[in-house]
Amino acid sequence: MSETEDPEAIDAATQKIKKLSEKADQVKQDIGLHYDSLNVYKSAIQRNMIHAATEHSAGNLQFAYVHYHKAIVIAVELMPKHAKYNDPKNFTIVKQARKEVTKALEEAEKLKALLKKEFVRDAVAERNRKNEIARKREEAENAVPTIKELEARISAAFASRNSRHVERTTAEKLLAHHQQLARAAAGPALVQESLALNPNLTKATTTVASAHPRPPALGTNASGPTSAAMDGRQQPAKSSGVEPIPVPRKRQPLYPELPLLASPTSEPSILSDVGGTGGLGPGGLRWVHLPKNLVKNFLGFAQHNSDDNRETCGILAAEIKHNELYVSALLIPEQTGGPDSCDVQDDLPLFDYMQQKGYMNMGWIHTHPSQTAFLSSVDLHTHCQYQRMLKEAIAIVCSIKFDDDQIFHLTQYGLNVISGCHKAGFHPHSERHLFANCHHVVVEEDMRFDIRDFRKTT
């Protein structure tokens, strides 16, 4: 029977795709119908389309499917229920949303077919693995009668007159060694199970193992550690033709000294194994690489507004390489700002630019001309949308007055609280630990990036 005809594997694949769809459906709670302008929904659709295309090109098919599905849910289920959906003033927005959702439906169906094949293969492989374990376990259990025969022979030897010179410990060692070999065919799990049921075998098998000493560990000789291993010096490679293994570069998070108040991805996710594990950092987040000079350059573009006590904001665009995120562009949109607020006026050019470059929205950066570096209630709600879209999204806050720059993200607790809050404008949030400094950001010394200023006036 081929994989495509395997009903059990097909059912397992269908359940996984269903979980992906349910994950995408969460966007209905994340956005809801609480926003007055349809531009919010249009922007959410465009962001998901950009993220889907970027994840797809990086080979992360599950992420891509979820983002396409989110765009479909927003355009098909949320927007038509909005009070201003049929307003003639919103005709252009609705038309653009319908255009995007048509593409999203086509791409989602293609990905669904690919994912179904992948999930079916995974289900068959997992079943074969379990069957192989069961087979080895059965082989080990079938070996038990042989062990019983050996026990009978040893007992008979002790009972006979010729057994006076036979040491009982030798017989125990022989029995324990035989049992260990028989159970080894079933893997380590069965060996541990055997030892748990027969604690007396532990000492005997240890004695047998000591008769076959392991080769000396790296950096030691037969009599003990070498002087170089003890004082920490590295031995030069011997002339064996084997190259020494290079030590990987240690990642340095931006704020290693600050405790992570709560992991932003503490809940289990079907997406946790997407794209490999090579790019995973603290909390299961992918590493984010940030150019060191990005903040300095942004502050230069914001200087005029900062001198006038007005906030400035920018958008961070990133690309995926080896399942890690690299901030490759700083985009400054058309905006209006005040002493404690900043509003984007036209984000369409930014989305067009990111689509052309294959970038995704990594988060944002903004100034606080006269306040400390923190996330206000409005900032919390703004970043909640970014982080719901991409769990690694970051918020950089630059305090001009106090010359302090910080990189934040919402904790899982913060995401839950802000997602459930539907208040607009400035309002207090007395809850603690809503956000924290990022631990998954690595600042790169010589990393290149683009800057695009879309403002008509500065």
Side-chain angles (χ1 to χ4, degrees):
M1 181 173 57
S2 65
E3 292 179 350
T4 55
E5 298 174 347
D6 190 323
E8 184 179 343
I10 292 174
D11 181 64
T14 302
Q15 291 301 316
K16 276 195 170 184
I17 292 175
K18 182 180 178 181
K19 288 183 179 180
L20 289 175
S21 300
E22 290 173 351
K23 187 175 184 67
D25 286 340
Q26 293 175 4
V27 74
K28 289 186 283 189
Q29 285 74 42
D30 297 341
I31 299 180
L33 297 172
H34 312 292
Y35 296 95
D36 183 62
S37 174
L38 283 181
N39 277 316
V40 174
Y41 302 91
K42 180 200 71 173
S43 296
I45 293 172
Q46 291 172 322
R47 285 178 186 145
N48 275 292
M49 293 296 290
I50 291 172
H51 285 206
T54 306
E55 296 284 8
H56 193 176
S57 64
N60 298 333
L61 303 188
Q62 295 186 42
F63 278 119
Y65 179 80
V66 169
H67 283 298
Y68 279 129
H69 197 97
K70 282 183 177 181
I72 294 168
V73 171
I74 295 170
V76 175
E77 297 188 38
L78 287 180
M79 286 186 69
K81 297 178 181 179
H82 197 277
K84 296 183 178 180
Y85 183 75
N86 295 316
D87 190 330
K89 296 179 181 179
N90 293 321
F91 174 79
T92 303
I93 296 176
V94 173
K95 183 179 179 180
Q96 180 66 25
R98 288 174 178 172
K99 180 180 177 180
E100 295 284 4
V101 78
T102 300
K103 180 180 178 181
L105 286 166
E106 294 174 357
E107 296 298 327
E109 282 302 313
K110 294 177 184 177
L111 286 176
K112 184 177 181 180
L114 292 174
L115 287 171
K116 187 172 183 179
K117 291 180 180 179
E118 177 185 322
F119 291 153
V120 167
R121 287 195 301 268
D122 292 345
V124 172
E126 177 64 15
R127 187 178 60 204
N128 291 340
R129 186 186 69 83
K130 291 181 178 179
N131 289 341
E132 181 65 13
I133 292 175
R135 184 186 65 80
K136 290 182 178 180
R137 188 183 296 272
E138 184 178 357
E139 289 179 355
E141 290 174 351
N142 291 336
V144 171
T146 304
I147 297 175
K148 289 183 177 179
E149 292 174 2
L150 182 62
E151 289 174 342
R153 289 201 301 270
I154 292 173
S155 298
F158 280 124
S160 69
R161 295 179 181 179
N162 297 328
S163 64
R164 296 175 182 176
H165 303 291
V166 178
E167 293 183 5
R168 184 178 183 84
T169 55
T170 303
E172 290 176 347
K173 291 177 185 178
L174 178 62
L175 175 59
H177 188 56
H178 189 81
Q179 289 174 325
Q180 186 180 28
L181 292 176
R183 285 165 172 74
L190 193 58
V191 174
Q192 294 299 325
E193 178 183 348
S194 175
L195 293 177
L197 295 175
N198 247 314
N200 293 330
L201 294 181
T202 305
K203 182 177 180 180
T205 53
T206 303
T207 307
V208 173
S210 65
H212 304 280
R214 296 182 179 181
L218 187 64
T220 65
N221 54 34
S223 60
T226 63
S227 59
M230 293 179 67
D231 64 14
R233 289 184 283 112
Q234 185 175 359
Q235 286 283 1
K238 302 294 182 182
S239 57
S240 60
V242 180
E243 292 292 332
I245 300 175
V247 178
R249 173 175 64 87
K250 183 179 180 181
R251 302 186 186 279
Q252 293 294 340
L254 190 63
Y255 297 100
E257 75 282 358
L258 294 177
L260 184 63
L261 301 180
S263 170
T265 54
S266 58
E267 76 278 3
S269 169
I270 190 174
L271 300 176
S272 60
D273 58 345
V274 175
T277 58
L280 296 184
L285 301 177
R286 290 177 288 186
W287 288 102
V288 175
H289 299 264
L290 180 71
K292 181 179 180 179
N293 292 328
L294 185 142
V295 173
K296 179 180 178 181
N297 281 268
F298 170 70
L299 292 178
F301 280 86
Q303 185 66 52
H304 181 72
N305 285 345
S306 299
D307 292 342
D308 290 342
N309 196 32
R310 287 185 289 140
E311 287 192 4
T312 306
C313 70
I315 304 300
L316 305 176
E319 56 186 328
I320 304 175
K321 297 178 182 178
H322 307 295
N323 203 37
E324 299 188 358
L325 299 161
Y326 290 78
V327 178
S328 303
L330 167 63
L331 313 179
I332 304 177
E334 183 68 34
Q335 57 192 272
T336 59
D340 53 11
S341 65
C342 185
D343 298 310
V344 175
Q345 298 300 306
D346 184 12
D347 54 12
L348 186 58
L350 280 70
F351 291 127
D352 290 341
Y353 176 83
M354 285 191 282
Q355 284 181 327
Q356 292 170 7
K357 293 288 188 178
Y359 293 159
M360 63 199 308
N361 196 330
M362 184 66 243
W364 61 311
I365 179 172
H366 73 289
T367 59
H368 280 182
S370 58
Q371 301 183 72
T372 58
F374 73 106
L375 293 181
S376 67
S377 59
V378 173
D379 296 339
L380 290 170
H381 281 265
T382 299
H383 191 65
C384 183
Q385 297 305 318
Y386 285 110
Q387 200 166 315
R388 282 293 186 187
M389 200 80 63
L390 181 69
K391 61 184 180 181
E392 291 87 358
I394 60 176
I396 305 177
V397 184
C398 306
S399 172
I400 305 301
K401 181 178 180 180
F402 297 96
D403 191 23
D404 182 31
D405 309 317
Q406 299 285 334
I407 305 182
F408 299 118
H409 64 177
L410 299 185
T411 63
Q412 182 60 53
Y413 172 68
L415 277 174
N416 295 338
V417 170
I418 302 303
S419 296
C421 175
H422 306 308
K423 296 179 181 179
F426 286 100
H427 56 279
H429 272 288
S430 58
E431 302 90 347
R432 300 182 62 187
H433 306 329
L434 297 179
F435 63 94
N437 286 112
C438 294
H439 286 241
H440 63 294
V441 176
V442 180
V443 177
E444 302 286 358
E445 289 283 347
D446 301 316
M447 183 176 165
R448 297 174 61 87
F449 65 100
D450 296 328
I451 300 178
R452 292 290 184 272
D453 191 347
F454 294 92
R455 296 176 295 178
K456 298 180 178 63
T457 60
T458 59

